Every structure is written in C-alpha cells, then in structure tokens.
Amino acid sequence: MNGADSSLPPETPLAVISEDFLDKAKELIQTEYDLLLQEKSQPLLAEGKTLEEAMDLIMEETSKATKMDPSSNEVFVQGGWKDPNGDEKVMAESLALEFDTLQEATSTLRKKNEKTESKLAVLTGGFAKRAQNTTAEILQIYNDLQNANIEGHVYSNLRDHEDRGAIARIEQLRSAIMRLRDDEARLQAQYNDLVAPPTAEIEEE
C-alpha cells in the first residue's frame, strides 16, 4: 500500500483452515439461523400467519433494520471496514480488493477441482478402461451378429435357388430318360424288323 497506510499493523497470513472446520462452521451458522427464524416466527404463527407469510415479514423486518444500521454502508478495504461517504477511491479500493479475493478463491477452487479430478481419474481409470473394452466387445459381437444374419440370409437364398435348380434338373433328367426309353423301343422294333425273315419266303418253303 502507499504511505497513507504506514500506520497499519503488518499483515499476518491466516493459518490454513481445514475443510472439516469450515463445514462445521457452516453447520453451526445454519443451525443458529434456523433457530433464530424459528424463534421469530413463533409469535407470528400464533397470530394465525402462515409460515410463508411469517418468513416474508421476518425478511422485511431484517431488511429495514439492516438499512437503518450505519454500518450497512460500509465497505471492506485494506485495514478493515469503512464508510466511503461517496469517496470513489474507497469504493475502487474495495472493489479491487473484492475482485482479488474472488480471483484467489476461484484459483484455489480450480486447483482443488483439478486435484479431485486427477484423483478420480486414478480411482476410476480401471473402470473406465474396462468399460471401453466392454463397449468394444459388445460392438464386435453386434457386428458379428449382423454379419451372421446377412450370411444366413445369403445362404438361405442360395439354398432356395439350388433347390429350384435341382427340381428343374430332375425334371430334365426324367424327360431325357423317357426320350431314351422311347428311342430304345423304336430302335428295338427296327432291329426286330431287320432280323426277322419275311413272312412270304417262309410260307413258300
């Protein structure tokens, strides 16, 4: 800071507060808040107000009390809370400090999320690999099944075609056999006519 802040005590870094302590503090604050709301809402509920109406009245009363409190106009600057009284420099300092605080908190949260993500990647890496392998196996089985269905359809069509061709060939063979038998009978008759002596010559003898 500049020379105007030389009277301020030196900054002392705060000790790191564990997540468990922060969670417990949040629980205590929430518990106190709930008890306070319950305490203030009991008289209103006794008057016949609904719970929603009672909450609205309590919030309205709290808002009015906050606006009437002189400290409600104070902003946080380096060194504590201060009423800006329209001083733009004080407001700018407060906004800059708030921005830096949010930026630092965001950076810390991002690092924490990256660390958590890294741990999850290590913990679930085996499951993810198994899931990928299982997915690949399922896709391969599905492809094999599709190919088997296609091959079965092709083979069925070929079998039907062969069956129809076999029936046609059998009919052709039957027709050929019948023609051969007819030819054999005709040729046998011709042969018999050739080898048999004429009837007139037999009677003259």
Side-chain angles (χ1 to χ4, degrees), residues 10 28 42 49 70 74 108 110 161 186 203 205:
L28 290 174
Q42 288 300 324
K49 303 289 185 183
E74 293 181 353
T108 302
R110 183 175 63 253
H161 180 73
R186 179 176 54 78
E203 288 179 350
E205 293 179 355

Side-chain angles (χ1 to χ4, degrees), residues 40-180:
K40 289 188 174 183
S41 63
Q42 288 300 324
L44 297 174
L45 294 176
E47 295 176 1
K49 303 289 185 183
T50 64
L51 182 59
E52 183 177 358
E53 292 173 343
M55 291 297 105
D56 290 340
L57 290 174
I58 292 173
M59 292 302 174
E60 184 179 354
E61 180 183 349
T62 303
S63 177
K64 289 180 179 179
T66 302
K67 291 179 180 179
M68 294 177 62
D69 190 346
S71 63
S72 62
N73 295 324
E74 293 181 353
V75 295
F76 187 77
V77 294
Q78 194 74 24
W81 293 91
K82 183 177 181 181
D83 190 342
N85 289 323
D87 190 341
E88 294 183 357
K89 291 183 179 181
V90 175
M91 292 296 299
E93 179 185 353
S94 176
L95 291 174
L97 183 60
E98 182 178 358
F99 174 78
D100 292 340
T101 302
L102 291 175
Q103 192 174 35
E104 183 179 356
T106 302
S107 177
T108 302
L109 183 61
R110 183 175 63 253
K111 291 179 181 179
K112 182 179 178 181
N113 290 338
E114 290 175 353
K115 186 176 181 180
T116 303
E117 183 179 359
S118 177
K119 289 182 179 180
L120 288 175
V122 173
L123 292 174
T124 61
F127 295 105
K129 186 65 176 178
R130 288 172 60 184
Q132 291 176 356
N133 293 336
T134 303
T135 302
E137 292 176 0
I138 292 174
L139 290 176
Q140 184 62 44
I141 293 173
Y142 176 77
N143 291 332
D144 293 343
L145 179 61
Q146 291 294 100
N147 292 333
N149 290 333
I150 294 173
E151 291 176 359
H153 184 68
V154 172
Y155 292 151
S156 178
N157 289 338
L158 290 175
R159 185 187 62 188
D160 294 340
H161 180 73
E162 287 296 325
D163 290 344
R164 291 192 296 270
I167 293 173
R169 288 193 296 271
I170 291 173
E171 292 298 328
Q172 291 175 358
L173 290 174
R174 286 178 178 174
S175 299
I177 291 172
M178 292 179 65
R179 287 196 301 271
L180 288 174

